[in-house]
């Protein structure tokens, strides 16, 4: 008499090596699911990976560029990667136990002890990276610091260039010049550098760390034959705290 268990044992099986390595190497993309006929599960893995590893990382700089709150986007990405990592481990463990079935033809894949060992090692390494590596959880902080550094660099570079060229022009002509007269190019990212003819007006283009269209002005004047500088910063103190001007204002 044939029992369900004997039928199960007599079922034709596949060698599970290929499907196992597809799971371990490209499991987050759902490749092993597609190959074994688990299309919906594969789409779930693939969509979560695309959202957490591509869409959210691309969205974070844009959101920060606009000065909008993050709403935990980096945390969401980390949680999604954690979920996919655990699901892939479950699949790899099931393959290693010989219980993973091809939904297309009903045949099972043969497992092995070494597969379960590799699955555990893979899980430990992946979770260590996600949890302790802090890539996703520190995403906003990393991008924020990088953008802040770039904005501060651009602001100070533009101001330093203006001070230097205005000073050189004064040494030669003994008067204050416009952008054109002193040879100042005002093409800088993140800010509009506006010619006041007798001074420089800086308008902030972003809304990151400092309100949009915040204004700095640097106006030179001639007092007792010397060039002196008057600097005004935005009323919002966040601007001077977030983007400090490092000026070398010397009388000429």
């Amino acid at each position: 008499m044939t029992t369900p268990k004997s039928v199960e044992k007599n079922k034709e099986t596949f060698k599970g090596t290929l499907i196992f390595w597809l799971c371990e190497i490209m499991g987050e993309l759902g490749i092993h699911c597609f190959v074994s006929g688990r299309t919906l599960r594969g789409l779930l893995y693939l969509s979560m990976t695309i959202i957490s590893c591509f869409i959210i990382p691309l969205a974070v700089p844009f959101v920060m560029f606009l000065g909008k709150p993050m709403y935990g986007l980096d945390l969401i990405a980390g949680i999604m990667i954690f979920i996919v990592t655990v699901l892939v481990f479950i699949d790899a463990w099931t393959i290693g136990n010989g219980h993973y079935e091809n939904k297309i033809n009903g045949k099972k894949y043969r497992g092995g002890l070494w597969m379960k060992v590799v699955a555990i090692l893979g899980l430990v390494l992946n979770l260590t990276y996600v949890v302790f590596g802090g890539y996703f959880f520190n995403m906003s902080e990393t991008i924020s610091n990088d953008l802040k550094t770039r904005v501060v660099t651009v602001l100070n570079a533009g101001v330093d260039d203006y001070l230097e060229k205005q000073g050189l022009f004064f040494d030669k002509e003994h008067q204050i010049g416009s952008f054109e007269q002193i040879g100042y190019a005002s093409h800088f990212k993140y800010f509009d550098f506006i010619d006041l003819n007798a001074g420089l007006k800086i308008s902030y283009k972003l809304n990151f760390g400092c309100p949009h269209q915040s204004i700095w002005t640097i106006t030179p004047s001639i007092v007792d034959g010397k060039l002196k500088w008057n600097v005004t910063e935005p009323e919002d103190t966040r601007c001077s705290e977030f983007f400090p001007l490092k000026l070398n204002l010397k009388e000429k």
Side-chain angles (χ1 to χ4, degrees):
M1 181 176 178
T2 305
T3 64
K5 285 188 176 181
S6 62
V7 171
E8 188 72 22
K9 286 183 179 179
N10 292 329
K11 259 191 177 182
E12 188 178 348
T13 59
F14 286 119
K15 188 175 181 181
T17 305
L18 177 60
I19 196 73
F20 176 79
W21 285 117
L22 286 176
C23 179
E24 279 296 307
I25 297 173
M26 294 185 288
E28 287 78 7
L29 300 177
I31 303 299
H32 66 290
C33 296
F34 294 122
V35 170
S36 62
R38 293 170 169 79
T39 304
L40 291 179
R41 191 179 181 99
L43 289 173
L44 174 65
Y45 290 12
L46 180 61
S47 60
M48 291 181 72
T49 299
I50 290 175
I51 291 171
S52 58
C53 294
F54 296 98
I55 294 178
I56 289 180
L58 289 174
V60 166
F62 181 73
V63 171
M64 298 188 72
F65 181 84
L66 297 176
K68 303 297 183 182
M70 290 288 298
Y71 297 117
L73 286 177
D74 47 355
L75 179 60
I76 293 172
I79 292 173
M80 292 178 73
I81 284 295
F82 178 85
I83 292 173
V84 173
T85 298
V86 172
L87 290 175
V88 169
F89 166 74
I90 292 173
D91 290 345
W93 185 263
T94 304
I95 295 170
N97 275 326
H99 296 155
Y100 199 76
E101 183 178 301
N102 188 305
K103 296 296 184 180
I104 299 173
N105 53 32
K107 298 176 183 178
K108 287 192 174 181
Y109 295 94
R110 294 193 298 274
L113 178 61
W114 68 269
M115 294 181 183
K116 292 189 281 186
V117 173
V118 172
I120 292 173
L121 290 175
L123 176 67
V124 171
L125 290 174
N126 284 332
L127 292 183
T128 299
Y129 173 74
V130 171
V131 176
F132 297 104
Y135 172 77
F136 293 102
F137 299 102
N138 294 327
M139 185 189 303
S140 60
E141 182 180 354
T142 301
I143 294 174
S144 174
N145 290 335
D146 178 64
L147 181 57
K148 177 182 177 181
T149 300
R150 284 186 280 134
V151 172
V152 171
T153 300
V154 168
L155 175 62
N156 282 284
V159 171
D160 287 344
D161 190 38
Y162 175 78
L163 295 177
E164 180 182 0
K165 290 182 176 176
Q166 189 67 264
L168 291 173
F169 182 80
F170 176 77
D171 288 342
K172 183 178 179 181
E173 303 293 339
H174 303 291
Q175 63 180 6
I176 297 169
S178 64
F179 282 9
E180 184 178 356
Q181 289 174 312
I182 68 176
Y184 180 73
S186 60
H187 303 294
F188 292 95
K189 287 182 178 180
Y190 314 127
F191 299 92
D192 285 321
F193 287 75
I194 303 165
D195 188 3
L196 299 178
N197 288 321
L200 169 66
K201 177 181 177 181
I202 305 168
S203 178
Y204 188 40
K205 292 181 181 179
L206 309 185
N207 191 29
F208 166 70
C210 180
H212 177 59
Q213 293 185 338
S214 293
I215 300 295
W216 290 258
T217 61
I218 300 176
T219 52
S221 60
I222 301 174
V223 180
D224 297 330
K226 294 182 178 181
L227 186 63
K228 294 190 175 182
W229 304 94
N230 180 49
V231 179
T232 62
E233 298 189 72
E235 293 182 1
D236 195 315
T237 56
R238 290 177 298 172
C239 299
S240 56
E241 292 172 359
F242 211 72
F243 305 131
L245 277 175
K246 300 175 182 178
L247 303 179
N248 184 19
L249 302 177
K250 295 181 180 179
E251 293 184 358
K252 292 285 185 176

